[in-house]
Amino acid sequence: AQSVTQPDIHITVSEGASLELRCNYSYGATPYLFWYVQSPGQGLQLLLKYFSGDTLVQGIKGFEAEFKRSQSSFNLRKPSVHWSDAAEYFCAVGASSASKIIFGSGTRLSIRP
Amino acid sequence: SAVISQKPSRDICQRGTSLTIQCQVDSQVTMMFWYRQQPGQSLTLIATANQGSEATYESGFVIDKFPISRPNLTFSTLTVSNMSPEDSSIYLCSVEAGVDEAFFGQGTRLTVV
């Protein structure tokens, strides 16, 4: 069955510290992988996506993610977080860009001043 | 890119009534998607709406409860029928536009009392 697991429900990091949000997926074929961010009261914004090619993907707002097929993982990273990064982050997998996207349960990120 | 406008942005409704949510896109798109995000939960796909055909519903969602219209390539509606408090959620419209990218509306926050 297709699924996405985000093992961390809530993470708190200090402003300026590095960040890694974990994501593991289960998918029969080569998936499309996404990270979305949802700020309070806002819609979803795409941070980055992976289809093929270079396994290290650069996104907006200084985020990057690395696809590791052997580990079925697609972890999101940022070298130095800002207070404005506080939000809910969703990892997602799909057969194509917008076809039946399956979302993980989300990780809420809090930033410590 | 695509700009999606959802109306209403929020509503409080009495149980047993119905609410129709509108999704307007600033460009023509083939597929539109409706998601539900229950409180504290991730997003779940309700159905896929293609212009000129019946919507395709995911497991656990039925047309009688969530009728969908797709009269043209820029507009869709989702109706939440005979509402109960369990229907209190954020409902989001999504489209595929550009190169393999899904765009989301800001959502409709529904509270059923």
Side-chain angles (χ1 to χ4, degrees):
Chain A
Q2 303 157 0
S3 65
V4 180
T5 302
Q6 292 180 249
D8 303 306
I9 297 173
H10 184 204
I11 287 181
T12 300
V13 299
S14 299
E15 188 168 17
S18 63
L19 170 71
E20 182 169 24
L21 302 183
R22 297 183 291 167
C23 173
N24 292 95
Y25 68 91
S26 174
Y27 202 82
T30 301
Y32 285 59
L33 293 162
F34 311 89
W35 274 100
Y36 285 89
V37 60
Q38 186 178 39
S39 299
Q42 301 296 311
L44 287 170
Q45 183 179 25
L46 179 68
L47 286 175
L48 47 79
K49 58 189 177 185
Y50 172 78
F51 303 148
S52 63
D54 192 346
T55 57
L56 185 62
V57 182
Q58 301 297 320
I60 62 172
K61 303 184 178 184
F63 286 93
E64 67 178 25
E66 186 171 11
F67 171 61
K68 293 185 177 180
R69 184 186 301 275
S70 61
Q71 299 177 17
S72 296
S73 69
F74 190 57
N75 295 347
L76 182 72
R77 301 194 294 249
K78 186 171 185 177
S80 176
V81 298
H82 186 262
W83 65 266
S84 61
D85 293 325
E88 188 88 19
Y89 291 80
F90 293 96
C91 181
V93 62
S96 69
S97 63
S99 173
K100 294 187 179 181
I101 294 177
I102 299 170
F103 285 84
S105 55
T107 297
R108 183 160 62 93
L109 174 64
S110 298
I111 306 297
R112 189 185 303 118
Chain B
S1 66
V3 177
I4 301 172
S5 173
Q6 270 188 247
K7 293 181 181 180
S9 58
R10 59 176 63 226
D11 206 343
I12 301 173
C13 300
Q14 297 290 324
R15 67 178 66 198
T17 63
S18 298
L19 176 71
T20 296
I21 302 167
Q22 299 179 1
C23 179
Q24 178 75 52
V25 190
D26 69 344
S27 58
Q28 294 185 339
V29 294
T30 303
M31 292 192 293
M32 297 179 77
F33 306 87
W34 287 98
Y35 287 84
R36 180 177 72 181
Q37 186 177 21
Q38 294 177 300
Q41 303 294 316
S42 185
L43 286 80
T44 302
L45 181 63
I46 297 172
T48 302
N50 293 330
Q51 195 266 338
S53 64
E54 293 283 331
T56 303
Y57 289 83
E58 297 300 305
S59 177
F61 298 97
V62 295
I63 187 171
D64 289 346
K65 176 66 176 178
F66 298 101
I68 289 171
S69 77
R70 183 77 200 276
N72 57 53
L73 291 174
T74 64
F75 187 78
S76 178
T77 67
L78 169 75
T79 299
V80 186
S81 303
N82 188 25
M83 289 183 285
S84 67
E86 291 72 34
D87 294 319
S88 297
S89 297
I90 298 173
Y91 293 86
L92 296 104
C93 170
S94 170
V95 304
E96 179 179 8
V99 180
D100 296 324
E101 185 166 339
F103 292 86
F104 286 81
Q106 295 208 338
T108 296
R109 184 179 295 272
L110 170 62
T111 302
V112 184
V113 297

